[in-house]
């Protein structure tokens, strides 16, 4: 699943963490699975350098047909 989907939901009034680490995973937008024509996982793509939303948009554009 996209890494952004793994992020913990934000709580109103709570500080926003820049990075969430759980079991060695960095849970921010920018990581997308690469699936074959049958939907099987064959790899992944990660983009970093912008905001999580920008990184996710660039990763999606890179994987677009």
């Amino acid at each position: 699943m996209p890494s952004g989907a793994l992020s913990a939901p934000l709580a109103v009034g709570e500080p926003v963490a820049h990075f969430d680490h759980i079991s060695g995973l960095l849970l921010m937008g920018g990581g997308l699975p690469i699936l074959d024509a049958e939907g099987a996982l064959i790899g992944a793509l990660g983009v970093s350098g912008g905001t999580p939303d920008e990184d996710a948009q660039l990763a999606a554009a890179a994987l677009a047909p």
Side-chain angles (χ1 to χ4, degrees):
M1 82 174 42
S3 61
L6 299 171
S7 297
L10 298 176
V12 175
E14 295 293 320
V16 177
H18 293 282
F19 300 99
D20 292 328
H21 290 277
I22 296 175
S23 301
L25 297 175
L26 179 57
L27 305 178
M28 296 184 67
L32 293 177
I34 301 172
L35 308 173
D36 67 11
E38 288 79 38
L41 180 66
I42 58 173
L45 172 69
V47 175
S48 180
T51 66
D53 287 338
E54 290 169 339
D55 293 345
Q57 289 174 356
L58 285 172
L63 294 178

